[in-house]
Amino acid sequence: MAVSSATPASLYNPQFMDHVNNPDYNYLLEDATHVHEGINPSCGDDLTFSIRIGDDGTIEEAAYQGHGCAISQASADMMSDLVTDKTPEEALALCELFMRMVKGEETDEAELEKLEDAALLKDIAHMPARVKCAELAWRTLSEMLGANEEA
């Protein structure tokens, strides 16, 4: 079993940096059906996440606004892309999977593929001080959708 060593160079790769420098989902969502604020008090990251659930019961659109480190911002952008066109139940399952991944509890590559770009953050598990940064958007969505778990 290979030991992964997370370094800033391996995390801040071009794909990750594209989410930081050119976010697709960092804007005010008009006509949101759900809005929830998430704060990471340990570092000051602050995020307001919004979704609009369509008539078919899926998340039609997702967006966020706020400020924080590159990890929290990229993670929010990746999550917004991933949950668009998913049901709230599917989005919650992805949140749970992401939380397990960044805590080092889920390493199965086939499972992690479900996270698409967000799987880029798997090495955060080796940087405990940054886990809360990566989790912020995912916790915010989970809280918004009413998950009753201690993720």
Side-chain angles (χ1 to χ4, degrees):
M1 179 174 162
V3 176
S4 175
S5 59
T7 65
S10 66
L11 177 62
Y12 295 96
N13 62 55
Q15 192 175 1
F16 173 89
M17 291 308 297
D18 188 50
H19 284 283
V20 175
N21 296 324
N22 304 300
D24 292 321
Y25 299 92
N26 188 356
Y27 58 88
L28 176 64
L29 176 59
E30 300 290 333
D31 302 323
T33 57
H34 296 70
V35 178
H36 193 69
E37 183 180 21
I39 298 172
N40 181 356
S42 63
C43 68
D45 292 351
D46 187 350
L47 171 72
T48 300
F49 194 72
S50 306
I51 60 172
R52 184 173 55 247
I53 297 184
D55 293 337
D56 64 356
T58 63
I59 298 170
E60 275 186 344
E61 192 171 356
Y64 67 95
Q65 288 190 299
H67 58 75
C69 67
I71 291 172
S72 71
Q73 297 296 291
S75 185
D77 200 59
M78 293 171 186
M79 186 193 73
S80 299
D81 185 45
L82 185 63
V83 301
T84 300
D85 297 326
K86 304 282 191 298
T87 66
E89 295 77 18
E90 291 168 328
L92 282 170
L94 290 166
C95 288
E96 292 169 17
L97 175 59
F98 182 85
M99 299 293 205
R100 290 193 314 269
M101 177 191 73
V102 296
K103 292 177 182 175
E105 298 167 4
E106 180 64 66
T107 58
D108 180 86
E109 291 298 323
E111 277 296 294
L112 297 183
E113 284 180 16
K114 295 176 185 175
L115 294 174
E116 298 177 10
D117 281 0
L120 292 169
L121 297 173
K122 70 180 178 181
D123 286 338
I124 292 290
H126 302 289
M127 298 186 282
R130 303 311 302 267
V131 169
K132 288 185 186 275
C133 301
E135 288 180 334
L136 179 59
W138 303 81
R139 281 190 182 280
T140 303
L141 178 62
S142 185
E143 290 169 7
M144 178 195 309
L145 295 176
N148 296 319
E149 66 176 35
E150 298 176 19

